Amino acid sequence: MSTDSRSRKDHELRVGMVGYSFMGAAHSTAWRTVNSAFDLATQARMALICGRDESKVAGAAAKLGWDAYTTDWREVIERDDIDVVDVCTPGDSHAEIAIAALAAGKHVLCEKPLANSVDEARAMVAAAAKAQASGIRSMCGFNYRRVPAVAMMRQLIASGRIGVIRHVRAVYLQDWIVDPQFPLVWRLQKDKAGSGALGDIGAHIIDLTQYVTGQKITGVSALTETFVKERPLPSESSGLAASSGDAEAPATGQVTVDDAALFLARLDGGAIATYEASRFAIGRKNGLRVEINGSLGSLVFDLERLNELEFYDSAAPTAEQGFNRILITEADHPYMAAWWPPGHIIGYEHSFTHEMRDFIEAIATGVDPAPSFLDALQVQLVLDAVARSADQGTVWTDVEPALAE
């Protein structure tokens, strides 16, 4: 295992990241890119990456551009040459790693959903609040907030362009587990993932819609379904796009999470909403779509066309009314001044670069980044209300407050 003995520089934030798979690779791309994309007073340095399998994490360190690697996340926290801990592990370890990192005086970026339970999330919020008193910052990684079109959507709504919000309509559809022979990976096990489509992709549309509208979900009526109850146990190479591929019938295990979740909701600003999250929508690969209808107009965002917004303005002359396409590539659109000339599009990975940019800037300027752990707890409370409603036969269920009234 290699180490780096270079002395600390005041303008550097030395990052230790735990996890190296899908999200680890996405975060690595962002940490690697953020310094060159944005003119930041504080630079990120990819100091240490952690994973349980030494050969795999060594390969990841070399491929993704990290200075050193370790197989013990505690080393990431104990080293005095690490300033930021980036948690990219399955949800069952978020709380333990993040709380320990905050207690050790490290800034923490934690992937979503924040935890596997409300109790864990509340403990993380308490740890973040205690660390905040010493200038230690924490943030949850809801990266879709950092898509320029989503940030522009929020600006238009906040400025009153669509008036009073009436409807929120959100779906997030995937199909990567449609095959019943797809193996029982960690995302299909409640003890590791917390929930299925609900927490994995439903959390995104919950956070995104609350972010763009400025309204919080106060109550839900929900149902969930698990279409395939048992799956083959995974091979060592199984991942997000794995298949069993065994000639002989493999041993199976029980799927303990939802495959799909649907719910109705009310928001505290008076809007009503519908949400659907499914990993069984065959033909949909990463189909996140949000439509907001107001008293003066409507806005639509589709992740598979992430450089665009659709905008219906009822103030336009009748003969000119219709959904207009706004190409979000101008320098005065959120984040876009860092990239290419107008008309040159960006992609999924840029949302993570923007996330790191905002996190670094918050640390450097001494402000609290968003979404905070408290914001992420509120999303966790919505997930919990959805699960409880579904368990009780879709009964209307209030969302518990994140803070005591």
Side-chain angles (χ1 to χ4, degrees), residues 155-172:
Q155 289 182 13
L156 289 168
I157 292 172
S159 67
R161 294 296 299 277
I162 67 169
V164 178
I165 298 169
R166 307 297 194 198
H167 291 286
V168 173
R169 200 169 294 107
V171 299
Y172 201 159

Side-chain angles (χ1 to χ4, degrees), residues 378-400:
Q378 196 278 332
V379 174
Q380 198 84 41
L381 288 162
V382 176
L383 298 175
D384 179 69
V386 171
R388 288 187 288 118
S389 174
D391 287 345
Q392 297 170 30
T394 74
V395 65
W396 186 261
T397 304
D398 291 335
V399 176
E400 294 179 15

Side-chain angles (χ1 to χ4, degrees), residues 109-404:
L109 173 62
C110 183
E111 256 305 322
K112 48 60 58 188
L114 186 63
N116 275 6
S117 71
V118 168
D119 287 345
E120 287 180 345
R122 287 197 184 280
M124 293 171 75
V125 169
K130 183 177 181 181
Q132 181 187 32
S134 301
I136 303 303
R137 311 296 168 183
S138 53
M139 189 174 85
C140 189
F142 283 102
N143 64 295
Y144 292 139
R145 288 188 176 208
R146 269 72 186 198
V147 174
V150 170
M152 185 66 187
M153 191 182 205
R154 174 181 166 90
Q155 289 182 13
L156 289 168
I157 292 172
S159 67
R161 294 296 299 277
I162 67 169
V164 178
I165 298 169
R166 307 297 194 198
H167 291 286
V168 173
R169 200 169 294 107
V171 299
Y172 201 159
L173 308 176
Q174 299 177 340
D175 71 353
W176 58 276
I177 55 172
V178 166
D179 182 356
Q181 294 306 305
F182 187 93
L184 189 69
V185 295
W186 70 265
R187 291 178 187 270
L188 304 180
Q189 301 172 51
K190 187 173 183 178
D191 61 334
K192 295 182 177 64
S195 64
L198 175 61
D200 185 20
I201 54 181
H204 272 302
I205 52 177
I206 291 167
D207 180 73
L208 192 156
T209 53
Q210 294 187 137
Y211 170 69
V212 299
T213 64
Q215 298 188 24
K216 295 289 191 290
I217 296 171
T218 59
V220 300
S221 177
L223 64 87
T224 60
E225 184 59 57
T226 303
F227 299 111
V228 176
K229 315 293 186 186
E230 290 190 353
R231 290 184 176 274
L233 297 179
S235 65
E236 193 165 317
S237 62
S238 296
L240 194 62
S243 60
S244 63
D246 293 333
E248 298 181 5
T252 63
Q254 184 178 4
V255 175
T256 51
V257 300
D258 58 282
D259 290 329
L262 295 83
F263 63 97
L264 307 176
R266 286 193 179 275
L267 283 74
D268 61 6
I272 58 175
T274 61
Y275 293 83
E276 179 182 2
S278 177
R279 300 192 293 209
F280 266 71
I282 192 163
R284 298 295 183 187
K285 304 305 176 184
N286 205 30
L288 186 162
R289 189 178 189 275
V290 171
E291 179 170 330
I292 312 294
N293 306 129
S295 59
L296 300 177
S298 295
L299 285 161
V300 181
F301 170 71
D302 186 334
L303 180 61
E304 293 181 350
R305 299 171 63 181
L306 64 74
N307 291 274
E308 303 175 18
L309 271 182
E310 291 183 69
F311 179 33
Y312 184 97
D313 184 0
S314 66
T318 304
E320 299 173 11
Q321 286 180 4
F323 276 95
N324 294 305
R325 169 180 171 267
I326 305 174
L327 186 64
I328 309 295
T329 60
E330 299 292 330
D332 54 355
H333 287 140
Y335 302 106
M336 291 305 299
W339 300 108
W340 319 118
H344 292 73
I345 61 176
I346 62 170
Y348 170 77
E349 70 277 13
H350 293 78
S351 66
F352 293 96
T353 304
H354 301 158
E355 181 178 292
M356 305 321 176
R357 177 261 185 196
D358 290 348
F359 190 48
I360 292 169
E361 188 170 74
I363 293 170
T365 57
V367 302
D368 293 321
S372 66
F373 279 15
L374 183 61
D375 296 328
L377 167 61
Q378 196 278 332
V379 174
Q380 198 84 41
L381 288 162
V382 176
L383 298 175
D384 179 69
V386 171
R388 288 187 288 118
S389 174
D391 287 345
Q392 297 170 30
T394 74
V395 65
W396 186 261
T397 304
D398 291 335
V399 176
E400 294 179 15
L403 293 174

